[in-house]
Amino acid sequence: MREFAGVVVAAGRGVRFGGSIPKQFARIGGRTLIDRAVSSLASRAAVSGVVVVLPPDLIAAPAAGEVLGLPGVLAVVAGGETRPRSVRLGVAAAGPCRHVLVHDAARPLVSEAVVDAVIEATLHHGAAVPVVEVTDTVKEDDGSGFSARTLDRSLLRLAQTPQGSRADWLVEALDRASREGVEPTDEAQALELAGRRVALVAGDPGNVKITERADLDAARRRLGEGENSLRVGTGFDVHRFAEGRALVLGGVAFPGERGLAGHSDADVVLHAAMDALLGAASLGDIGAHFPPGDPRYAGAPSTGLAREVARMLRDDGVEVVNLDLTLLAERPRIRDRADAMRAAIAGSLGIEIGRVGLKATTLEGLGALGRGDGIACQAVALVCRTGASV
């Protein structure tokens, strides 16, 4: 039987966080919140595996497969309508174990020291919760917008996660709360209502919970993703010529020129640009987001794909500083169309045209490109985190 199993709760909807990417898949330092939360538990020797609880509508999504592939993950399961129900489902999926550690995916910066302290106290007392002292004066609202009284903050503590418990205690407490129609706000409260004593251990003010966008920005700054958080990415794409295809370069059509073979519109300029941007933001490549062969992207204009990439970057807190593109081709000549291409590229990415550099060179008859078999483009992108000073 396992000594400890971890349960990372990531089944919330993140309404206050907003954006099109679920909060638990937002990134800090190139890693998702889920990745960091899982690692904080799985890295401890006492924890033999971690169950991740996701929203039901994400279970069949590719993201669930990515989570299942994280080191230490035992299973990925669908959550319930409430946090206690999600925790109960996670504990059940963990299988036989003596103790469980329940951690919020929204707390990606918990330290090893806090996790170890919770593990030690749980082994000794049966249940433990990390807490921090309240430093501000606390007022109780009388319900009508006036102060009813001032509370003694010396006895107050703010609870964090992970929270540890004997597995049988927690199952019993959650089941009892469910029968009685009570919805505890955390595992410690469920245990308290069941008559169990929960030990308090020192938490960490840096173990912040990501609720809103401002919390994510603050967490990024803690990891040094501040004013000089610049990242560079490179991209390269090449397509051979194909009969019966229109030629599109940088979002601009070139009537009368042979087009390029490809599943979408085969715009090598925008393809190289998107790969450079995704690479700089550690968000994969265009093949992962727009798989070749997927019927949704057959003949798709790359300007539309670029708008989607720009959205991904914005959701991840990444801003495009500048993009430099070099077209490698014997033909067509782009000098007269370069400004139109720069404008189309900038427009699809939602940036100023002055942030897009574009030039072209021939191959002097050398190699396949020099023989005129196709066109290639190489790109370099510079990005920074939102709010950085550049």
Short mmCIF file of all heavy atoms in Angstrom, two decimals, residues 151-176:
data_model
loop_
_atom_site.label_atom_id
_atom_site.label_comp_id
_atom_site.label_asym_id
_atom_site.label_seq_id
_atom_site.Cartn_x
_atom_site.Cartn_y
_atom_site.Cartn_z
N LEU A 151 -11.62 41.58 14.82
CA LEU A 151 -11.27 40.23 15.27
C LEU A 151 -9.83 40.19 15.78
O LEU A 151 -8.98 40.98 15.35
CB LEU A 151 -11.45 39.23 14.13
CG LEU A 151 -12.85 39.18 13.49
CD1 LEU A 151 -12.87 38.15 12.37
CD2 LEU A 151 -13.91 38.84 14.53
N ASP A 152 -9.59 39.27 16.68
CA ASP A 152 -8.25 39.07 17.22
C ASP A 152 -7.42 38.30 16.19
O ASP A 152 -7.53 37.09 16.08
CB ASP A 152 -8.34 38.31 18.54
CG ASP A 152 -6.95 38.12 19.18
OD1 ASP A 152 -5.95 38.60 18.60
OD2 ASP A 152 -6.90 37.47 20.25
N ARG A 153 -6.59 39.01 15.46
CA ARG A 153 -5.85 38.38 14.38
C ARG A 153 -4.77 37.44 14.88
O ARG A 153 -4.25 36.61 14.12
CB ARG A 153 -5.23 39.43 13.46
CG ARG A 153 -4.09 40.21 14.10
CD ARG A 153 -3.63 41.32 13.18
NE ARG A 153 -2.49 42.04 13.76
CZ ARG A 153 -2.03 43.19 13.29
NH1 ARG A 153 -2.63 43.75 12.25
NH2 ARG A 153 -1.00 43.78 13.86
N SER A 154 -4.41 37.53 16.17
CA SER A 154 -3.35 36.66 16.69
C SER A 154 -3.77 35.20 16.66
O SER A 154 -2.92 34.31 16.70
CB SER A 154 -2.98 37.08 18.12
OG SER A 154 -4.05 36.82 19.02
N LEU A 155 -5.08 34.95 16.61
CA LEU A 155 -5.59 33.58 16.56
C LEU A 155 -6.03 33.15 15.17
O LEU A 155 -6.47 32.02 14.98
CB LEU A 155 -6.76 33.42 17.53
CG LEU A 155 -6.47 33.70 19.00
CD1 LEU A 155 -7.74 33.58 19.84
CD2 LEU A 155 -5.39 32.76 19.53
N LEU A 156 -5.92 34.07 14.21
CA LEU A 156 -6.38 33.77 12.85
C LEU A 156 -5.22 33.32 11.97
O LEU A 156 -4.10 33.80 12.09
CB LEU A 156 -7.05 34.99 12.23
CG LEU A 156 -8.28 35.52 12.97
CD1 LEU A 156 -8.81 36.76 12.27
CD2 LEU A 156 -9.36 34.45 13.06
N ARG A 157 -5.51 32.39 11.05
CA ARG A 157 -4.52 31.89 10.11
C ARG A 157 -5.17 31.74 8.74
O ARG A 157 -6.36 31.42 8.63
CB ARG A 157 -3.97 30.53 10.56
CG ARG A 157 -3.28 30.52 11.92
CD ARG A 157 -2.00 31.32 11.88
NE ARG A 157 -1.29 31.26 13.17
CZ ARG A 157 -1.45 32.13 14.16
NH1 ARG A 157 -2.33 33.14 14.02
NH2 ARG A 157 -0.77 32.01 15.28
N LEU A 158 -4.39 31.91 7.69
CA LEU A 158 -4.85 31.71 6.32
C LEU A 158 -4.37 30.36 5.84
O LEU A 158 -3.17 30.05 5.90
CB LEU A 158 -4.32 32.82 5.41
CG LEU A 158 -4.70 34.25 5.80
CD1 LEU A 158 -4.04 35.25 4.84
CD2 LEU A 158 -6.21 34.43 5.80
N ALA A 159 -5.29 29.52 5.39
CA ALA A 159 -4.96 28.15 4.99
C ALA A 159 -4.45 28.09 3.56
O ALA A 159 -4.90 28.85 2.68
CB ALA A 159 -6.17 27.24 5.14
N GLN A 160 -3.49 27.21 3.33
CA GLN A 160 -2.95 26.96 2.01
C GLN A 160 -3.09 25.48 1.67
O GLN A 160 -3.73 24.72 2.40
CB GLN A 160 -1.46 27.38 1.97
CG GLN A 160 -1.21 28.84 2.29
CD GLN A 160 0.26 29.20 2.22
OE1 GLN A 160 1.15 28.36 2.38
NE2 GLN A 160 0.55 30.46 1.94
N THR A 161 -2.51 25.07 0.57
CA THR A 161 -2.38 23.66 0.22
C THR A 161 -0.92 23.41 -0.14
O THR A 161 -0.19 24.36 -0.43
CB THR A 161 -3.29 23.26 -0.97
OG1 THR A 161 -2.83 23.90 -2.16
CG2 THR A 161 -4.75 23.60 -0.70
N PRO A 162 -0.46 22.14 -0.10
CA PRO A 162 -1.23 20.90 0.04
C PRO A 162 -1.67 20.66 1.49
O PRO A 162 -1.00 21.07 2.42
CB PRO A 162 -0.24 19.82 -0.39
CG PRO A 162 1.09 20.38 -0.04
CD PRO A 162 0.99 21.86 -0.30
N GLN A 163 -2.81 19.98 1.62
CA GLN A 163 -3.31 19.57 2.92
C GLN A 163 -3.25 18.05 3.01
O GLN A 163 -3.64 17.36 2.08
CB GLN A 163 -4.74 20.08 3.11
CG GLN A 163 -4.82 21.60 3.05
CD GLN A 163 -6.18 22.15 3.38
OE1 GLN A 163 -7.07 21.45 3.84
NE2 GLN A 163 -6.37 23.46 3.14
N GLY A 164 -2.72 17.56 4.12
CA GLY A 164 -2.52 16.13 4.26
C GLY A 164 -3.50 15.51 5.24
O GLY A 164 -3.99 16.17 6.16
N SER A 165 -3.78 14.22 5.03
CA SER A 165 -4.69 13.51 5.92
C SER A 165 -4.53 12.01 5.75
O SER A 165 -4.11 11.54 4.68
CB SER A 165 -6.14 13.89 5.60
OG SER A 165 -7.05 13.11 6.35
N ARG A 166 -4.84 11.29 6.80
CA ARG A 166 -5.05 9.85 6.62
C ARG A 166 -6.16 9.67 5.59
O ARG A 166 -7.19 10.36 5.65
CB ARG A 166 -5.43 9.20 7.93
CG ARG A 166 -4.29 8.91 8.87
CD ARG A 166 -4.72 8.29 10.18
NE ARG A 166 -5.76 7.27 10.06
CZ ARG A 166 -6.15 6.49 11.07
NH1 ARG A 166 -5.58 6.64 12.28
NH2 ARG A 166 -7.10 5.60 10.90
N ALA A 167 -5.97 8.76 4.69
CA ALA A 167 -6.95 8.58 3.61
C ALA A 167 -8.32 8.20 4.16
O ALA A 167 -9.35 8.72 3.71
CB ALA A 167 -6.45 7.54 2.62
N ASP A 168 -8.34 7.29 5.14
CA ASP A 168 -9.64 6.87 5.67
C ASP A 168 -10.34 8.00 6.40
O ASP A 168 -11.57 8.14 6.33
CB ASP A 168 -9.49 5.64 6.57
CG ASP A 168 -8.53 5.86 7.73
OD1 ASP A 168 -7.71 6.80 7.67
OD2 ASP A 168 -8.58 5.08 8.71
N TRP A 169 -9.58 8.86 7.09
CA TRP A 169 -10.19 10.01 7.75
C TRP A 169 -10.84 10.94 6.73
O TRP A 169 -11.97 11.40 6.93
CB TRP A 169 -9.13 10.80 8.52
CG TRP A 169 -8.69 10.21 9.80
CD1 TRP A 169 -8.95 8.96 10.26
CD2 TRP A 169 -7.88 10.86 10.79
NE1 TRP A 169 -8.33 8.76 11.48
CE2 TRP A 169 -7.68 9.91 11.83
CE3 TRP A 169 -7.29 12.12 10.89
CZ2 TRP A 169 -6.92 10.22 12.96
CZ3 TRP A 169 -6.54 12.43 12.02
CH2 TRP A 169 -6.36 11.49 13.05
N LEU A 170 -10.12 11.22 5.66
CA LEU A 170 -10.64 12.17 4.68
C LEU A 170 -11.85 11.63 3.95
O LEU A 170 -12.83 12.36 3.73
CB LEU A 170 -9.54 12.55 3.67
CG LEU A 170 -9.91 13.63 2.65
CD1 LEU A 170 -10.36 14.91 3.35
CD2 LEU A 170 -8.74 13.92 1.72
N VAL A 171 -11.81 10.37 3.56
CA VAL A 171 -12.97 9.76 2.89
C VAL A 171 -14.19 9.82 3.80
O VAL A 171 -15.29 10.20 3.38
CB VAL A 171 -12.65 8.31 2.48
CG1 VAL A 171 -13.92 7.58 2.05
CG2 VAL A 171 -11.63 8.28 1.35
N GLU A 172 -13.99 9.45 5.07
CA GLU A 172 -15.09 9.49 6.02
C GLU A 172 -15.64 10.90 6.19
O GLU A 172 -16.86 11.13 6.20
CB GLU A 172 -14.61 8.96 7.37
CG GLU A 172 -15.65 9.06 8.48
CD GLU A 172 -15.05 8.79 9.86
OE1 GLU A 172 -13.83 8.99 10.04
OE2 GLU A 172 -15.82 8.41 10.75
N ALA A 173 -14.74 11.90 6.28
CA ALA A 173 -15.17 13.28 6.49
C ALA A 173 -15.91 13.83 5.27
O ALA A 173 -16.94 14.51 5.42
CB ALA A 173 -13.95 14.15 6.80
N LEU A 174 -15.42 13.55 4.08
CA LEU A 174 -16.07 14.04 2.87
C LEU A 174 -17.43 13.38 2.67
O LEU A 174 -18.41 14.04 2.27
CB LEU A 174 -15.18 13.80 1.66
CG LEU A 174 -13.89 14.64 1.59
CD1 LEU A 174 -13.00 14.17 0.45
CD2 LEU A 174 -14.21 16.13 1.44
N ASP A 175 -17.51 12.09 2.92
CA ASP A 175 -18.78 11.38 2.77
C ASP A 175 -19.81 11.90 3.79
O ASP A 175 -20.99 12.06 3.47
CB ASP A 175 -18.58 9.88 2.94
CG ASP A 175 -17.87 9.25 1.75
OD1 ASP A 175 -17.73 9.93 0.72
OD2 ASP A 175 -17.44 8.08 1.86
N ARG A 176 -19.34 12.17 5.00
CA ARG A 176 -20.25 12.69 6.03
C ARG A 176 -20.76 14.06 5.64
O ARG A 176 -21.96 14.35 5.77
CB ARG A 176 -19.51 12.75 7.37
CG ARG A 176 -20.31 13.39 8.48
CD ARG A 176 -19.57 13.32 9.79
NE ARG A 176 -20.29 14.00 10.86
CZ ARG A 176 -19.99 13.94 12.14
NH1 ARG A 176 -18.95 13.20 12.54
NH2 ARG A 176 -20.69 14.61 13.04
#
